[in-house]
Amino acid sequence: MAINRVLIALFLPVAILTSSSVVAQSVPPEGSVSVIFTATPIPAPKPMSIGSGREFVFINQAMAASNEAGNPVLNNMGGRCQLSRLTDSSAKTAEIHGFCTYVDKDGDQLFEQCDWMPGSPNNCNITGGTGKFEGLQAALVVTIDPLKSNFEGVSQVIGHKKGTYKFAKTN
């Protein structure tokens, strides 16, 4: 019994110091975003012909993101995107619109809106979030590279999101 009290007396201060020094990472008020992400459609999309060489499809993607800039914006976050895509095979164009939601280890979320138009950069905007990301705004340019997958029927991409963020002023 005396040994247990000695062990508790020795380790209790270490446990208190360790637990009090664990603080959620704060987000600087503005900064750069340089993110690597992966996307995998779940399930594989099934395009629908809408005539004249055009197809329409809904895409549901599982996402993972890591921020190379070293701040918490889209860093080590899992996500989900729901997008619509209109392709025109004769014009060799695709138009994509949709939304993504990402979550970090603390349960705080980021909300993103994407609009990709033919002939324009692929743009996404962070439109807010919860917790430490509340009021966050960002303009991002997205590039993607399809990956060769050895999982039949599953496509994968890796991409980059680059831009800047800041917190919207609140009254």
Side-chain angles (χ1 to χ4, degrees), residues 32-162:
S32 63
V33 178
S34 180
V35 171
I36 293 176
F37 71 91
T38 62
T40 304
I42 308 289
K46 297 185 186 324
M48 174 180 70
S49 175
I50 58 171
S52 302
R54 298 181 308 153
E55 291 183 330
F56 182 80
V57 67
F58 284 113
I59 304 167
N60 192 33
Q61 293 180 316
M63 308 292 291
S66 178
N67 190 329
E68 301 172 299
N71 64 56
V73 176
L74 288 170
N75 192 39
N76 297 334
M77 297 178 84
R80 177 180 177 191
C81 294
Q82 291 190 324
L83 309 161
S84 65
R85 181 181 68 206
L86 176 64
T87 57
D88 185 332
S89 60
S90 61
K92 297 182 180 160
T93 60
E95 181 177 322
I96 298 174
H97 301 281
F99 298 89
C100 303
T101 299
Y102 291 87
V103 64
D104 72 3
K105 64 180 174 25
D106 300 323
D108 295 334
Q109 296 182 60
L110 279 177
F111 308 120
E112 186 178 52
Q113 181 175 353
C114 297
D115 294 294
W116 301 5
M117 301 296 292
S120 298
N122 296 334
N123 293 313
C124 292
N125 294 302
I126 295 175
T127 59
T130 64
K132 66 180 145 295
F133 301 118
E134 189 171 340
L136 187 71
Q137 304 290 305
L140 307 172
V141 174
V142 180
T143 57
I144 60 168
D145 292 309
L147 299 172
K148 183 164 181 68
S149 179
N150 62 0
F151 195 122
E152 190 174 331
V154 175
S155 63
Q156 297 172 294
V157 300
I158 191 164
H160 294 85
K161 297 181 185 203
K162 295 195 181 286

Side-chain angles (χ1 to χ4, degrees), residues 8-42:
I8 290 171
L10 287 173
F11 291 109
L12 187 58
V14 173
I16 290 170
L17 287 173
T18 303
S19 66
S20 65
S21 66
V22 176
V23 178
Q25 185 177 11
S26 65
V27 183
E30 59 183 46
S32 63
V33 178
S34 180
V35 171
I36 293 176
F37 71 91
T38 62
T40 304
I42 308 289

